[in-house]
Structure formats: C-alpha cells, structure tokens
Amino acid sequence: MNFTIQDSSALYGLLAESTSDVILKTDLGGSILHASPGLDQLGFVTAGTQTPPRLLDLVAPEARCEVERAYTDALAGCRPGQRVEFPAITTDKRQRWFEIQTQALKSESGEPYGALSILRSIDERRSLEQQLFAATYTDPLTKLTNRAAFVSMLEHMVDKKMDGCLALFSIDFFRTINMQYGQSTGDDVLVVFANLLRELLRAEDIISRIGSERFAVLLPRATPEQAEAICKRVITTLAELRQKVGESRFAITASASVAHIGESLDSTLERAEMALFVAKAKGRNRLELEKALQKVRH
C-alpha cells in the first residue's frame, strides 16, 4: 500500500490514540519533540516544562548508559529492532519497568535527523517472570531456595573461584518424626529448623533446602574455623531447645558437616556428603569437618 504524507499522518494519529504503547519522536540529541498521549498515562508528566525533556530523563540512572548506547546504535543504523528493558522512576515514585525500541529518521540523503521510539510498559510481564522464577527456584514449604538454585549458586562460586565453605545439615530421625507425629508435624519441624538457620547464620550466608530433611548453606568468604563455629552454634542451640511443633513439644537435633569449596562442584559436594555420613555414624547431633580440614586443624 502507498500512503501519502496526509495518509501516514492520519494513520499515526489512529495508532497513537488507540494503543497503550507510547510513540516518541526525538532529535539527534535525544530531546523529545513529540510524545503520544499515553506517556502521561504511564506515569510521566512532560507537559508544562520550559525545555523539552530528554529521552534519558525517563530512565533510572543505573540504566541510562545502556539506553543511550542503544539510541546511538539506532541512529547509526546498527542492530535494527533492538529492544532494551529499563527501570524508570515515575511521578508516583514507583519503580516501573519499560521496554523501548528505536529506529532512526533519515532525510532523503540518508542522513539521520532524529528517531522514532516505541515505549511499552512491561511491569506485568516482569511480575510474572519473577513469580515463575520464585516457583522454579524456591522451596514452597520453607520459602528457602531449592536444590536447583543451590547447585547453580555453588557452581557459580566454584567457577569464580570464590573462597568459602559449604555446610550440610540433616534433621536427625526425620522419618521417625513423620511416622510418630504425622507429616504435618514433620513439615512444621522443617519450617522451625529453616527459621533457626535464618536467625543464627550470617546475612550473607545462602540457605537452601536440598532434600526431604536436608539443608545446605553456602558461607561465602568464611574460613573453615569460622564455618565450624557458626555451624556448631546451630547444632548446639537446636539441641538445647525443646521446640513447640504443632500440638507437641519435643527435642529436635541435626547432624552437620563442613567442607571447603574446592575446584569442582562434584568434589565439594562429595567431601561434604562424606563428612555428614561420618557425623551420623558417630551418633548424630554433631558436626564433622571434612578430612582435609581435620588434618589442618590438628
């Protein structure tokens, strides 16, 4: 279809009025020369300003470099159709997320003189993505990260050669608790233990539930001595308390192990698992260090 200038203007007017997307016309410097009415509806107020607002004025400071780079690329004809997501602080003081796509406006000689951009709110999509992330990587009972998230984070620490330790915890006689008191009480025990870990561990420690009664803790930058002291406090505190769980009050104990995060994910897990096996074999309700750390300590 061939459109006259008047046709194109009418079509633009229809699109600008009917879509929730915002159409922006900017000059080479990124100043907004025209914006469709939806801009105010998205929470930006541009009317009444003495000087034209700039495109970057809509963007939160931490994202301005990325948006500016994409704008420069569009003017140069690079990476056509590029979409950039960015946070913005709107006039209601809320951080909201937007997506922008920009295309250069060129003269008959092919020289750019400005750009047209489409601005779209993606708050709802970002919210759904966050909910999906939480569902994928969060244990629904304890609200801790799950095994998949734990493995990913441990792998990251190994790849980046980040120093620290891995601790494993296993609630003692958990199957017996389930059989004697019922599964709902068993679930309460897991929540009680998860809350105790949150209370006693450092803010930077990462706690995950990785199995039925098993928990893993990543302790970034902790020395073996620090990790041992932290985990001993958990074991001791738990054993000294008679927890109120459901309709019952009884002692809960746990076995634990500590291993230094090494050169591979598999070796780190294997050393921690072996030390946990030793802790259980020696009577439970205790902490064991991996053999290498025991040798260093002695």
Side-chain angles (χ1 to χ4, degrees):
M1 298 176 64
N2 296 319
F3 290 99
T4 65
I5 293 176
Q6 291 79 6
D7 293 337
S8 297
S9 177
L11 178 61
Y12 166 78
L14 285 173
L15 291 172
E17 293 293 339
S18 63
T19 180
S20 59
D21 296 344
V22 174
I23 301 174
L24 303 173
K25 181 181 178 181
T26 49
D27 63 16
L28 287 175
S31 294
I32 299 174
L33 305 177
H34 175 77
S36 59
L39 186 62
D40 290 343
Q41 296 172 13
L42 287 178
F44 299 104
V45 176
T46 57
T49 56
Q50 293 183 348
T51 57
R54 299 181 68 242
L55 175 63
L56 293 181
D57 293 339
L58 309 181
V59 183
E62 65 269 23
R64 284 175 184 166
C65 287
E66 185 181 4
V67 173
E68 186 174 27
R69 191 181 309 116
Y71 189 79
T72 303
D73 286 347
L75 291 177
C78 302
R79 305 171 68 183
Q82 178 185 9
R83 299 173 189 269
V84 179
E85 296 181 5
F86 66 90
I89 306 298
T90 52
T91 51
D92 58 4
K93 305 302 182 183
R94 283 182 53 223
Q95 184 185 75
R96 299 175 62 183
W97 279 87
F98 296 88
E99 175 185 85
I100 192 167
Q101 188 175 17
T102 301
Q103 183 170 326
L105 293 171
K106 296 184 179 181
S107 64
E108 291 183 0
S109 63
E111 291 297 314
Y113 62 87
L116 279 180
S117 300
I118 296 179
L119 183 68
R120 174 177 300 152
S121 173
I122 56 170
D123 258 357
E124 185 175 350
R125 194 191 81 198
R126 297 276 301 196
S127 177
L128 291 174
E129 287 174 349
Q130 290 171 358
Q131 291 176 36
L132 178 62
F133 180 87
T136 304
Y137 293 106
T138 304
D139 171 51
L141 177 64
T142 62
K143 309 306 179 188
L144 299 173
T145 49
N146 61 18
R147 185 177 184 85
F150 159 72
V151 169
S152 178
M153 290 183 288
L154 176 56
E155 195 168 30
H156 174 76
M157 291 184 68
V158 170
D159 290 344
K160 297 298 182 182
K161 301 188 182 328
M162 295 174 61
D163 197 28
C165 291
L166 164 64
L168 297 181
F169 292 88
S170 178
I171 297 174
D172 295 331
F173 305 110
F174 184 68
R175 289 184 181 177
T176 302
I177 293 173
N178 268 339
M179 291 176 62
Q180 184 172 347
Y181 297 97
Q183 185 174 343
S184 61
T185 298
D187 288 347
D188 290 340
V189 168
L190 294 171
V191 172
V192 164
F193 186 62
N195 290 338
L196 182 69
L197 288 174
R198 288 189 180 98
E199 182 180 342
L200 296 182
L201 293 173
R202 306 173 305 171
E204 63 266 37
D205 297 333
I206 303 167
I207 313 166
S208 303
R209 182 187 174 200
I210 61 171
S212 175
E213 77 283 8
R214 291 159 62 82
F215 295 78
V217 180
L218 296 172
L219 300 106
R221 294 172 294 279
T223 65
E225 292 76 18
Q226 290 172 329
E228 179 183 16
I230 293 168
C231 295
K232 269 190 174 178
R233 185 155 65 103
V234 172
I235 297 300
T236 302
T237 302
L238 182 66
E240 289 175 349
L241 298 175
R242 291 186 67 82
Q243 302 288 343
K244 178 70 167 60
V245 180
E247 300 298 322
S248 308
R249 183 179 293 275
F250 54 86
I252 305 170
T253 64
S255 304
S257 65
V258 169
H260 187 262
I261 296 176
E263 296 184 356
S264 77
L265 182 146
D266 288 341
S267 70
T268 301
L269 280 172
E270 184 178 342
R271 287 181 282 107
E273 292 279 8
M274 182 57 67
L276 182 61
F277 175 81
V278 172
K280 291 182 177 182
K282 287 186 175 181
R284 296 179 169 83
N285 189 25
R286 59 183 293 120
L287 170 72
E288 285 290 325
L289 305 181
E290 62 166 310
K291 286 186 177 181
L293 294 183
Q294 289 178 356
K295 291 177 181 178
V296 171
R297 188 177 62 174
H298 293 305

